[in-house]
Amino acid sequence: MSAQAGEPSLAGLRAVVTGASSGIGRAIAVAFAGAGARVGIGFNRSADAAGALAEELGGGPHPLLQADLSTAEGCTSIVADAFAAFGSVDVWVNNAGADVL
């Protein structure tokens, strides 16, 4: 996957997308990786889907970041895990739980 002509390159950026194992979050993660970013794949229960997405994205390590974001501990752990994996984070997309409204 790579950025299309006329699309901005995100090469070298580190992005975290919560809820990335399916739906809109997955599409966001694919778009970021397609533009050259490394993507932290945030998920809660769908480890198999998150792992499959990481393999599909290719192009460098895309860490899996498992956390239950309905708890304070989960929110703290995903941030710590993301910074441990990347050193710093350039973009954070809070997508998890968007369908529970």
Side-chain angles (χ1 to χ4, degrees):
M1 296 177 188
S2 61
Q4 300 295 317
E7 291 181 359
S9 171
L10 302 179
L13 293 184
R14 293 147 305 210
V16 172
V17 180
T18 66
S21 62
S22 65
I24 293 170
R26 185 181 190 289
I28 293 167
V30 168
F32 272 96
R38 288 178 53 206
V39 180
I41 300 169
F43 71 100
N44 183 13
R45 294 178 298 261
S46 304
D48 289 341
L53 175 59
E55 286 184 29
E56 178 186 330
L57 296 181
H62 299 285
L64 302 181
L65 306 169
Q66 184 172 17
D68 179 355
L69 300 182
S70 69
T71 68
E73 295 82 11
C75 294
T76 300
S77 74
I78 195 171
V79 171
D81 292 346
F83 278 84
F86 286 140
S88 65
V89 175
D90 301 298
V91 178
W92 196 287
V93 180
N94 287 318
N95 173 70
D99 63 343
V100 295
L101 301 174

